[in-house]
Amino acid sequence: MDVSLALLLISASVVLIATSLDGDGEATTPDAVAADQTAETLAATSMSVEYSIEPVTSQSEWDGENVATDFADESFRRVSQGSAAGLLAEAAVANVEIDGTRLTKEGQNFEPAVETKVLNTFLGANQSVYVEAVWRPYPESSIEGIASAGDRPPRDASVNTAVLRVTSDVPSVGSGTVERGYRLNGFEGAARPIAAAVVRGLYPPTEMQLLLERQGFNRALGKYRYLRMATAIEASEAATDDFEYRDAANVYFGDATVISRNGADARAANAQLTDQLTRIVAADMDEKYDDDVTADELGADVATGDVQIIVKTW
C-alpha cells in the first residue's frame, strides 16, 4: 500500500487536556513530538508478516469437499509485506463488518501477526504505544473495519495523539460523484458509488473470476467469499432477507449461478452485491444524517480509499 504522510499532530489543546500528575504531585506534560515520531516510524518501517487463513474452515460457507488435504496447510499460508502502517490498514479492511456481521475470517490470524511485528518495533522505547487503524467509507458507517496494536492507554495517562492516513485497497470515490448522486436520487443515489467501490475493493473482479473458474482450494475460497457476503446481506434489515445469486447467462451445460464454476461471472456477482449493498448504505446514511444534510457535506465525508491510523503515546 502507498502511504500518504498526512500527519495531523493533534495540538496543544489535547496536550493540555492530557496533563496529569506524576508520583510526586508535579504536573507532567507528554512529549508533543512522541506520537508524531511514532507515526513516522510506522510509515517508514517495512516488514513482512506470515499467517494462515485456516479459520475460514470453521464457517459453514466453506466447502472443502474437493480441497486436497495434502496441500491444505500450504494453501492457507499467506505472506504480506509493506510498511507497518500499510499492514495495519490492510488488517483493518480484512476485519470489515457489515451491520455487525464480520464478513470473513481470512484476517483472524492476520491482525495479531501484524500487532506482534508492530509492537516489536517499539521494544525498548521509553514510552507506551497504542495504534488503531480504522476504515469506514464515511463517518459512523455501519460498514467498518478496525485493527489495533497494543493496549489502550489508562484513563489517567497523559496521552499525545497523531493521525496518519494510509490508502486502502478500496477505490476512492470522488466527492462530486456522491454529490451528483444525492442531488439526483437522494441517499440511494449517494450510496451507489460507495457500495460499488466497497464491492470492487473487497471482490476484485479479475481475481474473483480466476478463483471461481479454478478447482479445489481456489474455487472453495472464491465461493466462500461470495457466500459470506450473502450471509451479511441476509443479516441486514435493509437488504433482501433471502439472498441468492442469479442464474448465469450463456451456460453451456446444466444449471448454474454466477458463482458456479460452469457459470462463473464475477462482474455479474459484483453487480448483484452492489445493488444489495446500496440499499444497506442508503438506509444507514438516512439514519445517520440529518434531513437537512447537503450534497456537499455528504461528498466531503466519503473516504472509501483511506484508512485512518491513530497513534497514542504516553
Side-chain angles (χ1 to χ4, degrees), residues 211-232:
L211 289 177
L212 291 176
E213 290 176 351
R214 290 175 179 173
Q215 302 183 56
F217 177 87
N218 290 299
R219 165 146 181 78
L221 182 60
K223 184 179 176 183
Y224 163 81
R225 289 176 178 173
Y226 275 122
L227 291 179
R228 282 300 306 163
M229 177 61 96
T231 298

Side-chain angles (χ1 to χ4, degrees), residues 51-275:
Y51 63 101
S52 171
I53 63 170
E54 192 168 3
V56 302
T57 62
S58 68
Q59 295 185 295
S60 60
E61 293 84 0
W62 176 261
D63 179 8
E65 182 177 354
N66 296 314
V67 177
T69 55
D70 292 345
F71 302 101
D73 289 345
E74 185 63 24
S75 297
F76 289 120
R77 179 177 173 271
R78 294 291 183 272
V79 177
S80 285
Q81 298 176 326
S83 69
L87 290 178
L88 279 167
E90 189 177 338
V93 176
N95 288 345
V96 66
E97 295 182 354
I98 298 176
D99 273 350
T101 300
R102 182 161 178 165
L103 194 54
T104 171
K105 285 191 173 183
E106 287 183 74
Q108 182 169 310
N109 290 340
F110 183 39
E111 180 184 0
V114 173
E115 178 182 29
T116 298
K117 285 292 187 77
V118 167
L119 294 181
N120 284 344
T121 302
F122 300 107
L123 281 177
N126 59 354
Q127 62 188 14
S128 297
V129 177
Y130 172 73
V131 186
E132 185 173 74
V134 180
W135 176 77
R136 295 187 182 98
Y138 52 89
E140 299 183 40
S141 170
S142 63
I143 302 172
E144 65 174 7
I146 299 174
S148 63
D151 297 323
R152 292 181 179 274
R155 289 178 176 271
D156 59 350
S158 297
V159 179
N160 182 241
T161 304
V163 178
L164 175 68
R165 285 191 174 87
V166 179
T167 56
S168 77
D169 288 336
V170 179
S172 295
V173 177
S175 58
T177 302
V178 174
E179 292 165 16
R180 285 191 295 274
Y182 182 66
R183 292 189 179 104
L184 288 171
N185 199 22
F187 286 120
E188 185 171 345
R192 180 161 291 277
I194 297 172
V198 171
V199 170
R200 185 174 182 83
L202 298 179
Y203 297 84
T206 300
E207 175 188 339
M208 296 306 300
Q209 184 69 28
L210 290 173
L211 289 177
L212 291 176
E213 290 176 351
R214 290 175 179 173
Q215 302 183 56
F217 177 87
N218 290 299
R219 165 146 181 78
L221 182 60
K223 184 179 176 183
Y224 163 81
R225 289 176 178 173
Y226 275 122
L227 291 179
R228 282 300 306 163
M229 177 61 96
T231 298
I233 287 171
E234 290 180 345
S236 172
E237 295 181 358
T240 304
D241 290 337
D242 297 315
F243 177 85
E244 292 183 358
Y245 287 96
R246 298 189 187 103
D247 290 339
N250 302 319
V251 178
Y252 293 104
F253 60 92
D255 297 324
T257 69
V258 292
I259 66 169
S260 300
R261 183 164 181 258
N262 59 325
D265 190 340
R267 293 186 185 279
N270 285 7
Q272 193 174 353
L273 294 181
T274 298
D275 288 343

